Amino acid sequence: MKLNNRYSIKGNSLMFLVLLVSNLLFFTVVSAQGEDQNWHLPDLSEKFKSHPKGIFVELADSIPIRGTLYRIRVPKNWNGILLSDLDYYKSADSQRNVKLLEMGYALSGTKRRPGRMKAYDPAHEIHDIISVLDIFEANFGKPSKTIQLGCSGGGTITIAMAEIHPDRIDGAIALCGATSPWMANTHLDALFVLKALLAPELPILEIPLKGAEMQSIAKDWENVVKAAQKTPEGRARIALAITIGQWQAWGGKGEAPVPNPNLNNTIELQNSMYESLVRLLPNRGTFGTTMIELAAPGQIKGNTDVDYREFYENGNELYKKTVEDLYKKAGISLKSDIKKVNNFPRIKADASAKKWWSKPGRTHIGEPKIPFLRLSTSGDGLVYPAMVKGYEDLVVKNGYSKLFRSAYVNRWGHCTFSVGEWLAAIETVKQRIEKGVWPNTKPKELNRLAKKLDSNSKAEYFEFKTVKKYNRTWVPDINDFIGE
């Protein structure tokens, strides 16, 4: 282990000594007369690292055995609260994290491991985060409060931490966090509709992450969807795929190609569906669910028991209105197309994959045991916001509503939150931990709080119109656990 990249400590036997050092750093004054009191300890009173935005102690090293890189920073004005983030290692100098240090928060986290794309396992990432929490406590003592937070994959493990490690954290904030098996099957459904109605010959499973074959498949799918958009029938079927799949009509990577559509305007909404879809079709930039497919032994995606008529009925009401308008204008039967999708050859998930994803930390069951705030951007084309509805319903069913809140930001993209929006979320969970009741989490109040904490930030929390019911909630049962 390295302290501040200058003072090296070898061997676990010195952990206790390091803890004493940290206590001296933060809670005692070392005088010139006190040298004989701690002659056996390294003098770290001058080891704070200077930074343009503040002064802090830093630990940056790798976790023994696993080798995952981690980073810890504790400011001189530490308020006793630790913010733990899966992706802190690389984001430590971001505007957001430097500001949090200025505000007195300690921060810690890891760097994502090499090979993650082909060997993804959120349970292992949780193990890494727990290890970093252990290292933090051994060096700096137990924080007064620990809040686990993170975006994307960091949000995924945050949800799990709230459910299975309430002994290690006091609060949780998951931003654009996926439940991997849910996400995989939500991704499957829209593509399955497109395959059934537009391109039976094109693959939708086990698509390579890169290479000539990937590029060929991507081009073929792009050509199919672009051709469909030129006909009334094709436009109707694109809208049907988005609606059944519960994908966002406005969401994706990069810059938004069109303004956020008026959901009551059929032409605007359908065009936005198309523009989003062409950016979410299989290609090198949409590797998220391929990564999930590669994680487990066997295929997690499946739809053998799905009734796509029911899935359509569960969709966003305004999306359905657009679908019905388009089908009427095209002069084709919506009922017949849904029947065709229902009759198309199905995909069976492997029991081995279900067994693997059933393990704690790899999926979520809707039982947060500490205050938990879940945030999403409305224009997230990677981690579908509809999943939050599925989680909310599980939380209500399981009786954990007092511990859970959700909020949405009106913005295109995945994890595109402003600094102020992050700070408002952190302050909200902090207040819930300290007072035992949730402060106001309505959009107006969250926006006011975001502006108060960072006046230069955008603050765009809003009331989000979501799906009637999320289609792909999956909670493992005994057969899943034993692999039958």
Side-chain angles (χ1 to χ4, degrees):
M1 184 183 303
K2 298 175 184 175
L3 182 57
N4 210 29
N5 289 325
R6 284 184 276 179
Y7 192 89
S8 296
I9 299 174
K10 297 181 180 179
N12 293 333
S13 62
L14 290 181
M15 277 293 187
F16 180 68
L17 297 182
V18 178
L19 175 58
L20 290 178
V21 172
S22 64
N23 287 337
L24 285 171
L25 264 172
F26 291 100
F27 305 115
T28 68
V29 176
V30 180
S31 68
Q33 302 175 6
E35 290 180 359
D36 59 344
Q37 296 177 19
N38 66 336
W39 60 268
H40 58 291
L41 299 176
D43 178 8
L44 299 181
S45 59
E46 301 299 324
K47 298 296 184 181
F48 286 99
K49 183 177 178 180
S50 296
H51 190 281
K53 294 293 185 179
I55 300 174
F56 54 82
V57 165
E58 177 177 87
L59 283 172
D61 208 326
S62 62
I63 298 170
I65 302 175
R66 291 185 60 77
T68 305
L69 295 174
Y70 72 88
R71 189 185 306 277
I72 296 170
R73 286 180 178 174
V74 182
K76 201 167 187 176
N77 62 330
W78 186 28
N79 60 14
I81 301 173
L82 171 63
L83 304 178
S84 169
D85 181 355
L86 175 70
D87 296 314
Y88 181 63
Y89 187 91
K90 290 184 70 173
S91 67
D93 288 328
S94 67
Q95 180 186 359
R96 178 189 77 239
N97 284 330
V98 169
K99 186 173 182 66
L100 286 166
L101 276 173
E102 278 189 291
M103 294 170 70
Y105 290 98
L107 296 103
S108 70
T110 60
K111 181 179 181 181
R112 299 194 184 191
R113 293 178 292 111
R116 184 176 182 267
M117 291 299 170
K118 295 183 179 180
Y120 176 54
D121 190 346
H124 284 179
E125 294 178 341
I126 291 170
H127 184 277
D128 286 344
I129 285 296
I130 295 293
S131 296
V132 176
L133 294 180
D134 289 341
I135 292 167
F136 185 97
E137 291 188 15
N139 284 276
F140 302 105
K142 186 175 177 61
S144 62
K145 304 174 191 66
T146 299
I147 298 174
Q148 182 66 41
L149 50 76
C151 237
S152 194
T156 296
I157 71 157
T158 295
I159 301 168
M161 289 279 286
E163 294 187 346
I164 65 177
H165 286 296
D167 57 319
R168 298 308 305 266
I169 60 175
D170 303 284
I173 306 167
L175 304 94
C176 295
T179 301
S180 297
W182 302 13
M183 176 174 160
N185 279 313
T186 294
H187 185 75
L188 170 68
D189 288 331
L191 292 179
F192 187 81
V193 173
L194 293 172
K195 182 177 176 69
L197 299 179
L198 298 178
E201 73 284 2
L202 293 184
I204 58 175
L205 291 179
E206 299 172 357
I207 297 170
L209 287 168
K210 58 184 179 179
E213 184 183 1
M214 164 83 269
Q215 293 174 8
S216 176
I217 292 170
K219 190 63 178 177
D220 288 343
W221 266 116
E222 184 179 352
N223 289 339
V224 164
V225 171
K226 284 184 174 180
Q229 183 66 9
K230 294 177 181 178
T231 69
E233 298 87 350
R235 290 192 290 271
R237 286 163 179 156
I238 287 171
L240 178 63
I242 292 286
T243 302
I244 284 180
Q246 299 188 328
W247 294 16
Q248 279 305 97
W250 186 71
K253 295 189 69 176
E255 297 294 324
V258 293
N260 200 341
N262 177 352
L263 298 188
N264 290 297
N265 185 311
T266 295
I267 295 174
E268 273 190 32
L269 182 55
Q270 195 284 329
N271 186 58
S272 184
M273 288 176 170
Y274 162 72
E275 292 288 352
S276 296
L277 180 59
V278 293
R279 287 159 177 78
L280 301 175
L281 291 170
N283 63 64
R284 288 195 302 174
T286 57
F287 51 77
T289 60
T290 300
M291 184 178 77
I292 293 171
E293 285 184 86
L294 293 172
Q299 175 59 255
I300 188 58
K301 294 179 180 178
N303 61 0
T304 50
D305 299 323
V306 168
D307 179 354
Y308 281 105
R309 179 176 297 281
E310 179 184 347
F311 274 24
Y312 173 74
E313 292 301 327
N314 290 340
N316 183 303
E317 294 294 340
L318 295 177
Y319 287 22
K320 288 194 295 180
K321 182 179 181 298
T322 284
V323 169
E324 288 154 18
D325 288 347
L326 291 167
Y327 267 84
K328 184 177 180 180
K329 290 176 182 177
I332 56 176
S333 170
L334 174 59
K335 183 177 180 180
S336 294
D337 265 5
I338 294 177
K339 184 176 180 181
K340 185 175 182 179
V341 174
N342 264 337
N343 290 336
F344 200 73
R346 299 305 181 94
I347 297 160
K348 184 178 181 180
D350 293 325
S352 58
K354 288 185 175 181
K355 181 178 180 179
W356 193 90
W357 282 108
S358 294
K359 301 302 184 290
R362 291 175 177 159
T363 193
H364 308 130
I365 60 174
E367 296 183 2
K369 298 176 181 67
I370 41 87
F372 174 30
L373 176 62
R374 187 164 179 176
L375 306 184
S376 295
T377 46
S378 62
D380 190 346
L382 177 62
V383 177
Y384 314 98
M387 285 192 288
V388 179
K389 172 62 173 170
Y391 193 81
E392 286 174 341
D393 289 345
L394 274 182
V395 166
V396 171
K397 178 182 176 182
N398 295 334
Y400 288 83
S401 298
K402 290 182 179 179
L403 292 171
F404 181 74
R405 293 292 184 273
S406 59
Y408 298 86
V409 166
N410 190 20
R411 190 169 301 126
W412 172 278
H414 177 60
C415 289
T416 52
F417 301 96
S418 72
V419 171
E421 288 157 356
W422 274 85
L423 297 180
I426 292 168
E427 179 61 26
T428 296
V429 170
K430 176 175 170 286
Q431 289 184 29
R432 172 60 178 82
I433 295 168
E434 291 174 345
K435 298 180 180 179
V437 293
W438 284 102
N440 189 337
T441 57
K442 295 293 184 182
K444 183 178 180 180
E445 178 57 25
L446 290 173
N447 287 331
R448 185 200 66 77
L449 186 57
K451 281 295 185 181
K452 176 183 176 182
L453 295 169
D454 188 4
S455 59
N456 295 321
S457 284
K458 291 182 178 179
E460 297 181 318
Y461 286 100
F462 80 124
E463 294 289 348
F464 178 61
K465 175 66 176 177
T466 190
V467 297
K468 180 180 177 181
K469 179 182 178 182
Y470 177 62
N471 287 329
R472 283 300 194 159
T473 303
W474 174 66
V475 176
D477 60 21
I478 183 60
N479 293 324
D480 298 319
F481 278 115
I482 64 178
E484 291 186 354

